[in-house]
Amino acid sequence: MLKLNKMNIIKELPAIKKNVSLAEYTTFKIGGKAKYFFIAKTKEDLIKAIFVAKKLKLQFFILGGGSNLLVSDKGYNGLVIKTQNSNLEIRKKGTIINFFCGAGAPLAKLVLESIKNSAQGLEWAAGIPGTVGGAIFGNAGAFNESMSGNIEEVEVLDVRKTVIKKFKNKDCRFEYRKSFFKKNKNIIILSAKLKLKNGKRKKIKEIIKEHLEKRKKFQPLNYPSAGSVFVNPKTGLKTGEMIEKCGLKGKRIGKAKVSEKHANFIMNLGKAKEKDVKKLINLIKKRVKNKFGVILKEEIISI
Ligand SMILES: Cc1cc2nc3c(=O)[nH]c(=O)nc-3n(C[C@H](O)[C@H](O)[C@H](O)COP(=O)(O)OP(=O)(O)OC[C@H]3O[C@@H](n4cnc5c(N)ncnc54)[C@H](O)[C@@H]3O)c2cc1C
C-alpha cells in the first residue's frame, strides 16, 4: 500500500487542491473544507481520481452540482471529486432523440439543448440545479415527472470490482427520490443515455416558462438553499403543509430560516452554519411527529 502523503497524491493527481471550502461548491453555501479536492473534467479524470483514492485508501465523495447537500461545518476529511465531465452528444433517429451525456453535465445545459433541438421530455427539469449524475442518484423530479422517465441507460463504475458496466432503466430501480445508486455508494455514475421525443419547440418553451414561473412564485429562490429538505410522505398532507400547520414558517435558528414562501425549504440568510440547519431540521421533525405522527425523512444529503 502506498503511504498517503501530500507528495503521493500530488504525483497521482497533479491538479488536486488542498483545503478547499465546500461552501463555495454547494447551493446552500454552507460547509467546511475538503482535505483534498479534485475537478474531473472528463470521464477518464473521474475514474482516475477514484482509483487514486482507492489505492491510497482515502475516503472519497462524488460532488455534482452540490444542490442537494448539507455539508458539515467540519468539512470532509478525504477527497472530494467534483464531476465536470459535461460532454453532450445528441443523436436523432426517427421521432426519438437521444442525449448522450457525461455525469457532470448540468441539467440546465440539457434543458437548453432540448429547446434548441425541439426535444420533448425534459421540461420538468427546468430550474432544477445540479448535474445529470446527481439527478439520477436521487431520481430528481418535479411536476409529476422525474429522471426515471428519461433514462435509457447509465454507464457506471463499480469501484469494488473495478469494472465499467451499463445499467438499463429497470436496473436503476428508480422510485420516488430513490435509486439503486443511493443504496450502493460503490457504484459511480459516469455517463447516461437519455431518451426524448421529437416535439414542437414553441410548446416545449411554453411548458418550461410555466414551470419556471411556478418555481419563482412558490420557492424562495433569492436565498441559498438545497431545495426541499424532506421528501413528501406517500399519502396525506405534503411535508410543506405539515410544517406550516406546525407554525414553523419563518422559524429561525442562527442564520438558518424556514421559508415563508415554501415551508419545506430552509434558507441560508448569510453565513448560516450546518449546526443551525441541523437544529431546525430536528425541531421540524419533532413538531411534525408530535402533531401528525409522521416521521419525516430528509431528502437532502448530509456529508
Ligand atoms: C432551488 C432548488 C430547487 C430544487 N428543486 C428540485 C426539484 O424540483 N426536484 C428535485 O428532485 N430536486 C430539486 N432540488 C434538489 C437538487 O437540485 C437535486 O436533487 C439535484 O438532482 C442534485 O444534483 P447535484 O448534481 O447537485 O447533486 P449533489 O448535490 O452534488 O449530490 C447529491 C448526491 O448525489 C451523489 N452524486 C452526484 N453525482 C454522482 C455521480 N456521478 N455518481 C454517483 N453519485 C453521484 C452525491 O454523492 C450526493 O450523494 C432543488 C435544489 C434547489 C437548490
Side-chain angles (χ1 to χ4, degrees):
M1 191 189 103
L2 266 175
K3 235 178 110 191
L4 176 63
N5 61 38
K6 204 175 157 193
M7 284 315 287
N8 282 336
I9 199 155
I10 291 175
K11 206 171 127 205
E12 300 279 347
L13 290 172
I16 206 160
K17 289 184 191 154
K18 268 202 94 181
N19 297 324
V20 171
S21 162
L22 290 173
E24 307 300 316
Y25 289 93
T26 68
T27 56
F28 229 154
K29 302 285 170 233
I30 292 174
K33 291 177 179 170
K35 184 162 186 193
Y36 296 106
F37 186 85
F38 177 76
I39 296 182
K41 294 196 172 133
T42 61
K43 181 170 91 178
E44 290 69 31
D45 275 358
L46 178 55
I47 296 170
K48 174 143 196 230
I50 293 167
F51 282 166
V52 168
K54 204 180 156 184
K55 192 161 120 187
L56 300 175
K57 296 214 181 319
L58 179 65
Q59 63 167 343
F60 69 89
F61 181 82
I62 306 292
L63 173 72
S67 63
N68 207 19
L69 297 180
L70 177 59
V71 178
S72 161
D73 295 327
K74 292 194 185 112
Y76 184 75
N77 189 21
L79 170 64
V80 170
I81 305 168
K82 174 160 172 64
T83 57
Q84 243 178 41
N85 49 328
S86 58
N87 52 295
L88 171 65
E89 195 194 321
I90 297 168
R91 288 188 216 154
K92 300 181 184 178
K93 201 175 171 195
T95 57
I96 302 297
I97 304 175
N98 285 123
F99 280 21
F100 296 82
C101 49
L107 278 186
K109 174 174 171 172
L110 267 55
V111 171
L112 209 70
E113 287 300 324
S114 73
I115 299 174
K116 279 192 201 159
N117 289 276
S118 303
Q120 174 210 316
L122 261 178
E123 295 86 339
W124 64 269
I128 301 185
T131 60
V132 168
I136 294 172
F137 179 91
N139 190 19
F143 306 105
N144 297 319
E145 288 181 76
S146 63
M147 206 58 194
S148 57
N150 298 111
I151 292 298
E152 195 165 309
E153 211 167 68
V154 179
E155 184 189 31
V156 303
L157 173 70
D158 184 329
V159 181
R160 233 178 250 148
K161 294 186 186 149
T162 330
V163 286
I164 291 175
K165 299 191 242 182
K166 294 240 167 103
F167 275 46
K168 292 280 178 208
N169 184 303
K170 68 167 174 28
D171 305 323
C172 300
R173 294 192 214 145
F174 290 121
E175 286 178 58
Y176 169 65
R177 301 292 174 273
K178 281 185 194 162
S179 73
F180 175 86
F181 312 107
K182 218 169 184 174
K183 288 184 203 139
N184 295 275
K185 302 281 159 58
N186 276 297
I187 308 289
I188 307 301
I189 301 155
L190 300 174
S191 70
K193 178 182 177 188
L194 275 64
K195 190 176 164 185
L196 290 101
K197 274 197 284 190
N198 205 4
K200 297 236 178 329
R201 186 177 300 161
K202 194 167 164 251
K203 182 80 190 152
I204 295 166
K205 275 171 109 174
E206 260 170 39
I207 299 173
I208 288 177
K209 192 167 167 253
E210 239 170 64
H211 288 350
L212 291 176
E213 277 165 6
K214 275 194 189 143
R215 282 186 182 275
K216 215 171 149 195
K217 192 166 171 199
F218 297 112
Q219 297 181 351
L221 302 179
N222 47 344
Y223 281 99
S225 80
S228 291
V229 176
F230 304 99
V231 291
N232 283 312
K234 283 194 177 115
T235 54
L237 288 176
K238 289 201 160 179
T239 302
E241 291 165 336
M242 287 192 280
I243 300 172
E244 186 176 349
K245 284 187 193 299
C246 288
L248 288 171
K249 263 192 171 179
K251 175 72 192 170
R252 192 175 149 175
I253 295 181
K255 291 278 184 187
K257 183 180 170 187
V258 177
S259 163
E260 267 135 5
K261 236 181 185 180
H262 191 320
N264 199 7
F265 272 61
I266 292 178
M267 308 181 305
N268 176 2
L269 301 180
K271 301 223 164 93
K273 295 277 167 210
E274 175 229 12
K275 69 173 185 354
D276 301 332
V277 178
K278 278 265 163 78
K279 279 185 195 161
L280 260 187
I281 287 177
N282 290 335
L283 177 73
I284 292 170
K285 283 173 115 172
K286 199 171 133 198
R287 294 270 192 90
V288 168
K289 183 163 180 278
N290 286 346
K291 195 171 172 75
F292 297 97
V294 173
I295 298 170
L296 289 180
K297 278 189 74 184
E298 281 96 324
E299 178 175 325
I300 56 172
I301 289 153
S302 292
I303 68 161

